[in-house]
Amino acid sequence: MADIAHGLEGINVTATKLCRIDGLKGELVYSGYDIFDLAEHSTFEEVAFLLWNQRLPARSELEALDKTLKSERELGDVVNQILTELYPVVRPMRTLEVAVEILGAQDRNSSDLTNPGLRQTAARLTAKMATVIATYHRLRTGQPVLAPRSDLNHASNFLYMLTGQVPGDLEARIFDVALILHAEHEMNASTFSAIVTASTLSDMYSAIASAIGTLKGPLHGGANEAVFHTLEAIKEEQNIPSYVEAMLSRGERVMGIGHRVYKTTDPRAIILERLGRQLADQSPNRKWFDLSQKLRDYLARKLEGKPLYPNVDFFSASVYQMLNIPADLYTPIFALSRITGWTAHLLEQYGDNRLVRPNAVYEGAESRQYVTVDQR
Ligand code: ACO
């Protein structure tokens, strides 16, 4: 029988200059820069530039990117109108997917697949997707929609548009780092989805809509929201053993645990736990973070010997809780960051395109004779 690479595990589908992961050592590197270094020193805007150019920006280049992102934050009447129709009935990830396609429909240059055209779209989507989610949330909570503020960076402006409060320095920095951590991750499922769509020479908006639809699933980006629901269901430390035992005996997975590539703790989970500790020291809402740590410790004992460790989604749930972000926005926030990685991969793909079209091994019936419907 022919070999089948189920889930394409271990298959190299393309080459990239954007990201390298060592799943055994727990290393994550964006264009040569270790994620720990970037989380310590960089900003989301710098990382966006890094991914789109494979080098860090000069000050003037960073200022130019900052200006472009700020100039692209407004959504315009059509998208705002559509959001007022969607928010009562459509969940945030699908709203984001629809909004991206509407932005594509409105862009007369959507089919411009030249490198400058694609870069413009990448910046446009990075800026506007944040506004889409903030606007959606303000509408559904009956609060006035806030105009973006040009004195705030991408992370702070998003939190401001979402909550109506300019975040404090610690909150702003922690959210900025969370965006850095989620920006890029080599050939994950949503990036692959974007690449498959782009490889047909469909436009960047459709490729990103495909990626958003893929990220939504609970085995991928949707796991961060699911982690929070797990914590809510567990409620107290004493319930951890019985809850986990029951879950595993039903053959269910503990969300935020395990990874196709990492066979040790995901470095992003290490950084998020550190950030969580800093936030927890001053947060009235540290309960879920404390429970996450207890759950992690229990699972480490329970799953000892298996390559199952916390992934990026495990601590992002309780960190976002302490930032007062509602659980159903965790995955959209992942997308607001990953848009940079997705579009960077698309720049590579459109720059050296080949249609993605693998094979399937046929296992169905052979040599059948058609019979008409009334003879079956
Ligand atoms: N809880 C319990 N057992 C698990 C988990 C988990 N979270 N993840 C994997 N396993 C077990 C499987 O049941 C399987 O056991 P078996 O060999 O006894 O049958 C074994 O580990 C291998 O599992 P696979 O599904 O083959 O591993 P795969 O590489 O396909 O899974 C995945 C990776 C999908 C992330 C998986 O670990 C999972 O479902 N985790 C929970 C969801 C999650 O947190 N997703 C976010 C990933 S990070 C991201 O996308 C941003």
Side-chain angles (χ1 to χ4, degrees):
M1 203 176 97
D3 284 345
I4 296 174
H6 262 303
L8 297 182
E9 184 166 359
I11 303 290
N12 298 326
V13 293
T14 190
T16 179
K17 292 189 166 61
L18 302 178
C19 180
R20 180 177 66 73
I21 303 170
D22 186 324
L24 293 178
K25 291 188 191 152
E27 281 179 4
L28 169 60
V29 178
Y30 296 173
S31 287
Y33 296 95
D34 190 272
I35 195 66
F36 284 93
D37 205 9
L38 292 171
E40 183 75 28
H41 302 292
S42 191
T43 63
F44 175 69
E45 285 81 351
E46 257 195 350
V47 166
F49 187 99
L50 173 66
L51 294 172
W52 291 334
N53 299 278
Q54 294 86 60
R55 63 179 175 82
L56 287 171
R59 184 174 296 281
S60 59
E61 291 171 319
L62 185 57
E63 285 168 2
L65 175 61
D66 186 53
K67 206 169 153 196
T68 304
L69 291 175
K70 285 175 175 164
S71 72
E72 288 284 2
R73 284 175 179 167
E74 298 276 0
L75 295 179
D77 293 344
V78 174
V79 178
N80 278 325
Q81 179 55 39
I82 285 166
L83 289 179
T84 63
E85 306 277 336
L86 293 182
Y87 83 80
V89 280
V90 181
R91 283 183 43 88
M93 278 302 270
R94 198 177 299 284
T95 300
L96 198 57
E97 205 176 334
V98 171
V100 164
E101 285 290 18
I102 300 295
L103 288 167
Q106 284 188 299
D107 183 353
R108 286 197 196 138
N109 298 320
S110 63
S111 55
D112 177 358
L113 301 186
T114 62
N115 189 276
L118 293 167
R119 282 169 181 272
Q120 216 171 338
T121 305
R124 190 162 186 253
L125 284 173
T126 302
K128 288 188 183 349
M129 279 168 53
T131 311
V132 167
I133 289 305
T135 303
Y136 170 92
H137 182 65
R138 301 290 292 181
L139 288 168
R140 73 175 176 173
T141 49
Q143 300 181 82
V145 172
L146 298 172
R149 274 184 44 171
S150 60
D151 58 328
L152 298 175
N153 69 9
H154 190 73
S156 294
N157 178 63
F158 172 72
L159 290 178
Y160 162 74
M161 286 194 300
L162 188 75
T163 64
Q165 309 286 324
V166 175
D169 289 348
L170 181 65
E171 285 86 354
R173 178 61 192 155
I174 283 178
F175 190 66
D176 199 41
V177 176
L179 294 183
I180 292 171
L181 299 180
H182 288 85
E184 164 53 16
H185 212 239
E186 200 229 42
M187 199 42 56
N188 56 87
S190 55
T191 299
F192 185 56
S193 205
I195 280 183
V196 172
T197 303
S199 83
T200 69
L201 297 184
S202 186
D203 61 65
M204 195 178 243
Y205 293 93
S206 291
I208 296 303
S210 304
I212 293 170
T214 305
L215 186 71
K216 176 154 63 72
L219 295 190
H220 191 10
N224 53 14
E225 181 181 349
V227 168
F228 181 65
H229 296 313
T230 302
L231 295 171
E232 270 188 321
I234 292 174
K235 276 198 193 73
E236 306 287 345
E237 182 186 352
Q238 74 224 34
N239 301 329
I240 290 175
S242 56
Y243 187 90
V244 172
E245 296 297 334
M247 246 187 130
L248 295 180
S249 68
R250 290 193 300 267
E252 290 172 16
R253 285 158 185 234
V254 187
M255 292 291 124
I257 298 291
H259 198 276
R260 175 60 65 79
V261 180
Y262 294 117
K263 300 306 165 201
T264 181
T265 304
D266 180 335
R268 301 166 299 176
I270 295 172
I271 297 168
L272 279 165
E273 186 180 8
R274 282 183 197 162
L275 299 178
R277 266 193 229 114
Q278 289 176 41
L279 259 184
D281 285 344
Q282 63 167 53
S283 172
N285 190 17
R286 60 177 295 159
K287 173 182 173 175
W288 303 118
F289 177 69
D290 293 339
L291 191 60
S292 300
Q293 290 187 309
K294 303 284 184 211
L295 177 61
R296 184 267 320 272
D297 293 344
Y298 178 80
L299 289 169
R301 294 191 297 274
K302 174 80 194 159
L303 301 171
E304 199 183 346
K306 296 190 177 180
L308 294 171
Y309 300 87
N311 61 49
V312 67
D313 293 322
F314 190 79
F315 284 108
S316 63
S318 51
V319 167
Y320 292 157
Q321 267 302 305
M322 289 189 281
L323 292 172
N324 296 317
I325 298 172
D328 66 353
L329 297 190
Y330 300 170
T331 316
I333 286 169
F334 193 149
L336 303 189
S337 162
R338 185 57 59 83
I339 180 64
T340 53
W342 287 332
T343 49
H345 279 278
L346 292 175
L347 289 171
E348 288 190 332
Q349 181 67 29
Y350 286 118
D352 183 22
N353 187 56
R354 184 142 200 258
L355 177 73
V356 177
R357 202 298 188 192
N359 297 333
V361 176
Y362 181 66
E363 292 180 338
E366 295 285 2
S367 308
R368 288 166 145 181
Q369 201 86 51
Y370 181 86
V371 286
T372 56
V373 69
D374 46 342
Q375 289 179 304
R376 279 173 225 160

